[in-house]
């Protein structure tokens, strides 16, 4: 990332996957910004996310899935977008890629201005979860994720909207989203 002052939390939610654990711990040994959290048992995504939220030290939280790719300028552009539009949570546009990492031509998510995002949330999860950057206080105010597999992000956004959290999208593709 072009913004280099960040902490990278990696949650190992499959304690039996020794191969992934070895790779992650090797990277953590090379970069002090990387913190590894290993669950004793598989908790599922919502509860694993909550576990990471309890450990976060910074003022902002950038959400990311392990099989997607963030563009190097992602944090920088998102922070600027948050400030320029007075937002509490911001997502990015995403470009779809296949399982091998090949970009799929023409598969880019749609941009909506902040006011349109708030209206679209009534029936559409239009903020890609793995692209969120939010103030830490947003996660605290909403109470983290509820155990609602496959829709924990949309549930979170609806509860955030109800609490007056200002949300929007950066009009830039900053995430390559893996389809599998």
């Amino acid at each position: 990332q072009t913004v280099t002052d960040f902490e990278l939390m990696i949650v190992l939610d499959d304690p039996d996957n020794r191969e992934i654990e070895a790779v992650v711990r090797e990277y953590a040994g090379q970069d002090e910004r990387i913190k590894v959290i290993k669950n004793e048992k598989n908790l599922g995504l919502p509860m694993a996310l909550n576990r990471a939220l309890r450990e976060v030290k910074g003022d902002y939280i950038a959400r990311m899935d392990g099989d997607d790719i963030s563009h190097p300028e992602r944090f920088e552009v998102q922070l600027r977008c948050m400030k320029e539009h007075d937002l509490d949570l911001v997502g990015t546009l995403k470009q779809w890629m296949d399982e091998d990492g090949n970009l799929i031509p023409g598969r880019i998510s749609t941009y909506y201005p902040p006011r349109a995002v708030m209206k679209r949330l009534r029936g559409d999860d239009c903020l890609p979860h793995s692209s969120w950057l939010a103030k830490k206080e947003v996660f605290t105010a909403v109470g983290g994720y509820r155990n609602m597999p496959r829709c924990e992000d949309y549930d979170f956004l609806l509860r955030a909207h109800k609490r007056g959290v200002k949300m929007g999208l950066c009009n830039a593709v900053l995430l390559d989203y893996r389809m599998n």
Side-chain angles (χ1 to χ4, degrees):
Q1 290 295 307
T2 54
V3 172
T4 59
D5 183 19
F6 65 88
E7 172 185 44
L8 175 62
M9 293 211 149
I10 300 174
V11 179
L12 297 171
D13 195 35
D14 179 357
D16 298 328
N17 192 330
R18 305 280 185 240
E19 184 179 349
I20 293 294
E21 182 178 1
V23 170
V24 167
R25 295 216 184 269
E26 181 179 339
Y27 278 108
Q30 298 170 14
D31 190 331
E32 63 186 19
R33 297 175 299 176
I34 299 174
K35 181 173 182 180
V36 179
I37 299 170
K38 181 179 177 182
N39 291 338
E40 292 179 21
K41 65 178 186 172
N42 188 300
L43 301 176
L45 182 60
M47 297 303 101
L49 290 171
N50 284 339
R51 179 141 189 239
L53 291 173
R54 288 191 296 271
E55 304 284 333
V56 170
K57 304 275 189 276
D59 296 329
Y60 296 92
I61 296 171
R63 172 73 177 79
M64 181 73 191
D65 286 333
D67 60 346
D68 297 338
I69 299 171
S70 283
H71 294 201
E73 67 280 9
R74 176 184 161 193
F75 295 169
E76 180 180 357
V77 172
Q78 285 185 285
L79 286 167
R80 185 171 55 243
C81 182
M82 284 179 86
K83 290 174 184 169
E84 288 174 359
H85 298 284
D86 188 32
L87 298 171
D88 303 311
L89 184 150
V90 65
T92 76
L93 301 182
K94 64 183 178 183
Q95 165 80 54
W96 276 265
M97 64 181 165
D98 63 24
E99 289 183 5
D100 297 320
N102 302 307
L103 296 178
I104 301 171
R107 290 294 315 262
I108 297 176
S109 58
T110 304
Y111 172 73
Y112 302 101
R115 286 186 181 197
V117 165
M118 301 310 273
K119 288 179 183 176
R120 289 200 61 86
L121 280 176
R122 294 181 190 146
D124 181 20
D125 181 0
C126 57
L127 293 170
H129 193 203
S130 60
S131 77
W132 292 2
L133 177 72
K135 296 174 181 174
K136 183 179 181 178
E137 62 203 47
V138 168
F139 291 92
T140 304
V142 174
Y145 293 91
R146 294 194 294 192
N147 196 10
M148 302 182 81
R150 308 201 99 177
C151 64
E152 71 283 335
D153 53 339
Y154 191 43
D155 172 69
F156 184 95
L157 291 175
L158 293 175
R159 291 183 295 124
H161 177 62
K162 189 174 182 178
R163 285 168 180 73
V165 172
K166 295 175 280 182
M167 297 176 267
L169 270 171
C170 292
N171 193 10
V173 176
L174 299 170
L175 180 79
D176 296 339
Y177 179 80
R178 192 174 313 270
M179 296 292 296
N180 49 27

